């Protein structure tokens, strides 16, 4: 039952966030993401403002679908010296940052409800040949309180294996999609360790939410994908030297 409730809440949160016309910064107390001790007081205020959450569950809820149905018209370009990566259908925060030439690793933050899964990716380069893209993902634990959430992004993770992306008939690479089981994969951890980590990283009020929680998959805890990684590999035309670029895509685990 708790698994279904958690999936339902995450689905409703994602659907609600998608309808926002203006994305809030983390300093907005109604849309805060708590990731460390410096925001304990903000979290404490938020916890007192959301006492009437309505819970519901459904066996048909598929968490993976929440992250793969919101294809936007946005185009994200990531520029490196030797190539440009174009991701179609994924909007990001701080798009102006991507106007600058990135070093070997570029880190971007997807907007709420956005994903690399199922999106087409093009590589533009006059200097490289034999281009290939690989993808892997990372899961993390989040603690939810309706809108506010505390993401344990500096704690333990599940890390998938690298997987080469397939190309469509137009020669574009297609982002790999993941199942509900993939989203829910996480190493075994003790609840005592989890609760202590929440207390240290999120604060006392968040710790109290877990008083009767018996699993990292039981509300108000949840496990979901927190980051995607794209590795682009090619060879220089002039000397055959291998070139590798990495794009890290942070994905919001709530509003």
């Amino acid at each position: 039952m708790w698994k279904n409730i958690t999936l339902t809440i995450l689905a409703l949160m994602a659907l609600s966030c998608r309808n926002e016309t203006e994305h809030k910064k983390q300093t907005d107390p109604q849309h805060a993401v708590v990731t460390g001790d410096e925001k304990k007081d903000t979290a404490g205020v938020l916890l007192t403002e959301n006492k009437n959450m309505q819970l519901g569950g459904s066996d048909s809820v598929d968490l993976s679908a929440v992250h793969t149905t919101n294809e936007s018209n946005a185009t994200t370009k990531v520029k490196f010296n030797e190539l440009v990566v174009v991701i179609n259908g994924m909007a990001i925060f701080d798009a102006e940052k991507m106007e600058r030439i990135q070093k070997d690793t570029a880190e971007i933050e997807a907007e709420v409800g956005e994903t690399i899964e199922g999106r087409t990716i093009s590589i533009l380069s006059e200097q490289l040949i034999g281009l290939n893209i690989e993808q892997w993902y990372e899961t993390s634990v989040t603690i939810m309180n309706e809108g506010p959430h505390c993401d344990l992004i500096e704690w333990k993770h599940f890390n998938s294996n690298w997987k080469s992306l397939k190309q469509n008939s137009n020669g574009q690479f297609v982002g790999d999609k993941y199942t509900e089981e993939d989203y829910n994969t996480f190493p075994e951890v003790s609840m005592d360790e989890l609760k202590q980590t929440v207390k240290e990283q999120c604060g006392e009020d968040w710790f109290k939410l877990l008083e009767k929680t018996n699993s990292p998959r039981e509300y108000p805890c949840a496990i979901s994908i927190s980051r995607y990684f794209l590795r682009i590999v090619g060879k220089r035309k002039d000397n055959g030297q291998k070139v590798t670029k990495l794009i890290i895509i942070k994905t919001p685990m709530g509003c």
Side-chain angles (χ1 to χ4, degrees):
M1 180 185 74
W2 280 114
K3 177 182 177 182
N4 293 330
I5 290 174
T6 299
L7 296 182
T8 302
I9 291 169
L10 285 172
L12 292 174
M13 286 169 60
L15 291 172
S16 175
C17 293
R18 290 172 188 167
N19 293 327
E20 292 290 337
T21 58
E22 180 179 358
H23 296 280
K24 306 292 185 178
K25 298 296 184 180
Q26 290 186 0
T27 53
D28 183 339
Q30 295 300 325
H31 294 76
V33 178
V34 181
T35 58
D37 290 340
E38 70 279 6
K39 295 182 180 178
K40 287 180 182 177
D41 292 339
T42 300
V45 172
L46 290 167
L47 290 175
T48 63
E49 294 175 348
N50 296 280
K51 298 177 181 177
N52 299 315
M53 181 188 296
Q54 298 298 313
L55 304 181
S58 170
D59 292 337
S60 63
V61 176
D62 182 353
L63 180 58
S64 61
V66 173
H67 298 263
T68 58
T69 57
N70 185 38
E71 185 164 2
S72 67
N73 294 321
T75 298
T76 295
K77 295 183 180 180
V78 184
K79 301 177 181 179
F80 299 98
N81 281 325
E82 301 90 346
L83 57 93
V84 176
V85 178
V86 181
I87 304 173
N88 299 297
M90 188 187 77
I92 64 172
F93 288 107
D94 196 14
E96 293 182 359
K97 174 184 174 183
M98 291 301 107
E99 293 299 320
R100 302 191 293 270
I101 301 297
Q102 305 296 304
K103 297 182 179 181
D104 290 339
T105 298
E107 191 170 39
I108 58 180
E109 184 176 354
E111 289 193 2
V112 174
E114 298 292 302
T115 179
I116 193 65
E117 297 180 43
R119 306 302 186 249
T120 56
I121 308 167
S122 302
I123 306 176
L124 310 177
S125 178
E126 296 182 353
Q127 302 179 42
L128 304 179
I129 58 174
L131 290 159
N132 183 53
I133 303 180
E134 297 171 293
Q135 177 178 318
W136 71 284
Y137 73 93
E138 166 193 276
T139 63
S140 300
V141 175
T142 184
I143 313 301
M144 301 177 291
N145 185 48
E146 197 169 1
H149 56 106
C150 183
D151 304 333
L152 302 183
I153 56 177
E154 301 297 333
W155 193 48
K156 297 183 178 182
H157 309 283
F158 166 78
N159 296 311
S160 72
N161 295 321
W162 286 106
K163 182 177 179 180
S164 293
L165 299 186
K166 297 180 180 179
Q167 292 177 274
N168 61 20
S169 58
N170 295 322
Q172 297 171 308
F173 295 91
V174 181
D176 202 21
K177 292 185 178 182
Y178 302 113
T179 65
E180 179 183 342
E181 182 179 357
D182 294 327
Y183 273 78
N184 205 35
T185 303
F186 198 76
E188 291 297 323
V189 295
S190 70
M191 280 307 298
D192 288 342
E193 183 181 6
L194 172 58
K195 290 178 180 179
Q196 182 61 33
T197 301
V198 170
K199 188 174 185 178
E200 294 173 355
Q201 296 190 15
C202 306
E204 187 71 27
D205 289 309
W206 295 89
F207 170 74
K208 291 177 181 178
L209 285 176
L210 305 185
E211 183 178 0
K212 298 181 179 180
T213 306
N214 299 310
S215 167
R217 295 174 176 82
E218 179 182 321
Y219 185 82
C221 297
I223 295 168
S224 188
I225 292 176
S226 51
R227 292 194 296 179
Y228 301 96
F229 296 76
L230 297 177
R231 183 167 64 186
I232 302 96
V233 179
K235 291 183 178 180
R236 294 188 62 90
K237 292 180 181 179
D238 54 1
N239 58 17
Q241 181 180 358
K242 182 180 178 180
V243 174
T244 302
K245 306 296 180 183
L246 184 67
I247 299 176
I248 302 172
I249 303 169
K250 296 180 179 180
T251 179
M253 301 180 74
C255 297

